[in-house]
Amino acid sequence: MAREADRAHGQWTPAIGAYLDALYAGEDGGMREAARAIEVADMPQIQIPPADGRILEVLLRLVGARRVVEIGTLGAYSTQWLARALPDDGHLWTIEVSARHAAVARDVLSRAGLGAKVTVLEGAALLVLPDLEPRGPFDAVFIDADKENYVNYAEWASAHLRPGGLVIGDNTYFFGRLAGVASRDAAEEKAISAMRAFHQLVAREFHGVVLPTLEGLTVGVRR
Ligand SMILES: C[S@@+](CC[C@H](N)C(=O)[O-])C[C@H]1O[C@@H](n2cnc3c(N)ncnc32)[C@H](O)[C@@H]1O
């Protein structure tokens, strides 16, 4: 077990984060355009940070991903980190329920030259996913949408990933509410239970771990 003094030596600081982001997590023009488009369209600025984008890219490279599904596109910011990891003949399908977000994402992707490599599918993911099944099995599924359905998305991933494929879920600390707090109302109680069911499924059916990013990034390798 690390002593208190050793732990202090290992600590992240904003300055270290900025230094490392510049070194490892450089955004390209398309990613910067996505962030700008999200802001200009007055969409919620809730895309992943660059360091998490780089984690996604490296994870996909590690498993040699070619066929990937993303749930929750927003303005195609994380989409481009995922797409960056794919070989020329790879493909990414990204699902977005909001017509406005999907339109911004399509525009961003087409301007980034990714119109052929990435397909934006519009609709609620639970309804769209069955249409993708003939394209599988997939190498990775990245979940970053409605939290109450994470467990359903992970179940779908378990059925449609190849062995060794990855399920990845963002915000899985559930904004600090996953454990150790009293739920504020019945709706939150239900939402926390749903996120816990996601973790239980990943822990049971995958080789899983939660990477300690700011929001918690769960990664499971399909058995
Ligand atoms: C956190 S944002 C995604 C951010 C994006 N992955 C990034 O990091 O650049 C969540 C997105 O999921 C979409 N969404 C919410 N519920 C959904 C559903 N049931 N099916 C598909 N997309 C959904 C929202 O409209 C929103 O654009």
Side-chain angles (χ1 to χ4, degrees):
M1 183 133 151
R3 291 173 305 137
E4 203 57 48
D6 294 337
R7 240 179 293 180
H9 281 300
Q11 258 170 22
W12 179 93
T13 67
I16 292 172
Y19 169 73
L20 294 176
D21 274 1
L23 206 56
Y24 288 99
E27 294 170 312
D28 61 25
M31 293 164 185
R32 283 192 294 273
E33 264 304 305
R36 237 188 322 271
I38 289 167
E39 195 180 344
V40 168
D42 206 18
M43 286 153 59
Q45 293 177 54
I46 50 174
Q47 64 271 25
I48 55 167
D52 293 14
R54 184 64 165 172
I55 291 173
L56 294 180
E57 180 193 343
V58 170
L59 286 171
L60 262 53
R61 287 189 187 279
L62 279 171
V63 299
R66 310 173 80 82
R67 306 168 77 72
V68 175
V69 175
E70 176 182 53
I71 303 173
T73 316
L74 191 67
Y77 180 82
S78 54
T79 311
Q80 294 184 71
W81 283 101
L82 296 167
R84 195 193 249 192
L86 301 183
D88 287 346
D89 62 347
H91 201 87
L92 169 60
W93 292 267
T94 182
I95 308 174
E96 174 54 57
V97 74
S98 154
R100 196 163 69 90
H101 296 185
V104 169
R106 284 196 186 101
D107 184 48
V108 161
L109 291 165
S110 133
R111 282 188 284 127
L114 288 169
K117 190 175 240 183
V118 182
T119 305
V120 180
L121 299 164
E122 204 177 301
L126 280 181
L127 301 179
V128 172
L129 285 169
D131 297 340
L132 275 181
E133 287 167 13
R135 311 272 191 175
F138 299 96
D139 302 301
V141 175
F142 173 51
I143 306 169
D144 190 17
D146 48 330
K147 308 305 163 209
E148 60 277 16
N149 274 317
Y150 270 36
V151 62
N152 299 319
Y153 301 146
E155 237 167 51
W156 186 89
S158 181
H160 298 285
L161 281 169
R162 63 155 165 93
L166 300 178
V167 65
I168 309 171
D170 194 23
N171 311 112
T172 62
Y173 295 155
F174 199 49
F175 313 107
R177 313 289 299 165
L178 183 67
V181 295
S183 36
R184 291 173 285 217
D185 52 36
E188 189 184 69
E189 175 87 38
K190 203 169 151 212
I192 292 173
S193 295
M195 184 56 85
R196 288 186 171 189
F198 163 81
H199 281 291
Q200 284 153 15
L201 188 145
V202 175
R204 191 177 61 241
E205 293 189 14
F206 292 78
H207 299 288
V209 68
V210 182
L211 301 184
T213 59
L214 287 179
E215 303 262 348
L217 189 73
T218 296
V219 181
V221 181
R222 165 92 151 68
R223 291 174 191 269

